Amino acid sequence: ALQAQDISQIGKGDPLIITGSIGTQNTYYHSSYGNGYMSPLSNSIFANLNINVYGFSLPFSIYFSNDNLNFNYPQFSFNISPSYKNFKAHFGQSTIPFSNYILNMSFNGVGLEYNGSKFRSSAFYGVLRRAVNDNPEDPNPRKPQYRRYGWGFSAGYGSAGKSVDIYFLRAYDSESSLHEL
């Protein structure tokens, strides 16, 4: 996982630091029940790049998969999450942990978090799920699904064990997101 920057440290560090990683994962799947659950071969490539200029850090990450868990189409994602003191912004494919019981899914959009010593809040807006069209010619057809948008916010006060939090999540599907084949 990449850590976002603390903008209060700008100008106090080395002029330029570039770090990152690149990797791949290749999986072979075989089942005596057939290949109805997933493709026999799955490949993914990821790259993380962190460019630090005078303490201002820009973390980037890119992920490509030919299988995307349950679906057989490529997916590219991008994320940048800068922070300043108690604030953290999210742009691209991100996750804001609202609660273990409410929302710990990724979204593609924008978000903002504030985590103070007692008060905390967060908000986001983005795409929660991509649209998937049915392909009747596919040997393993999948159920079509609409693109799902969502927005939400949370606010809380207190510390571990003695706190009050409220959450609001609104999600809706775009019926025009499916295309006829």
Side-chain angles (χ1 to χ4, degrees):
L2 289 174
Q3 294 292 326
Q5 70 271 12
D6 181 358
I7 297 176
S8 66
Q9 298 300 313
I10 291 177
K12 297 179 181 177
D14 292 332
L16 178 65
I17 300 172
I18 299 174
T19 59
S21 63
I22 188 167
T24 182
Q25 178 180 351
N26 305 295
T27 305
Y28 173 75
Y29 170 81
H30 175 74
S31 171
S32 59
Y33 292 109
N35 292 331
Y37 295 106
M38 63 186 293
S39 300
L41 290 175
S42 174
N43 304 298
S44 62
I45 299 171
F46 63 88
N48 300 313
L49 176 66
N50 191 20
I51 301 171
N52 188 313
V53 179
Y54 287 105
F56 183 77
S57 181
L58 297 170
F60 296 94
S61 61
I62 297 172
Y63 178 79
F64 169 78
S65 173
N66 72 326
D67 200 340
N68 188 25
L69 298 177
N70 299 324
F71 309 116
N72 295 317
Y73 62 92
Q75 174 184 343
F76 290 96
S77 64
F78 170 80
N79 168 266
I80 183 169
S81 296
S83 67
Y84 178 72
K85 296 188 180 186
N86 295 334
F87 290 92
K88 186 174 186 180
H90 300 277
F91 303 97
Q93 192 73 32
S94 302
T95 300
I96 296 178
F98 273 34
S99 160
N100 291 335
Y101 307 107
I102 304 295
L103 178 69
N104 281 326
M105 68 178 82
S106 65
F107 62 92
N108 191 4
V110 297
L112 182 65
E113 292 181 80
Y114 174 79
N115 287 306
S117 61
K118 294 278 187 182
F119 179 74
R120 63 197 159 274
S121 66
S122 59
F124 82 95
Y125 173 80
V127 175
L128 299 176
R129 182 179 68 192
R130 292 178 174 209
V132 174
N133 287 309
D134 182 21
N135 182 358
E137 296 174 5
D138 189 339
N140 300 311
R142 56 188 178 232
K143 185 177 180 181
Q145 64 185 17
Y146 297 115
R147 178 182 301 125
R148 179 164 293 161
Y149 292 94
W151 62 272
F153 67 87
S154 71
Y157 183 80
S159 57
K162 296 181 181 179
S163 64
V164 174
D165 292 272
I166 61 168
Y167 306 98
F168 183 82
L169 171 66
R170 168 78 165 103
Y172 53 93
D173 292 341
S174 172
E175 293 183 16
S176 64
S177 62
L178 293 181
H179 304 287
E180 295 294 327
L181 295 174

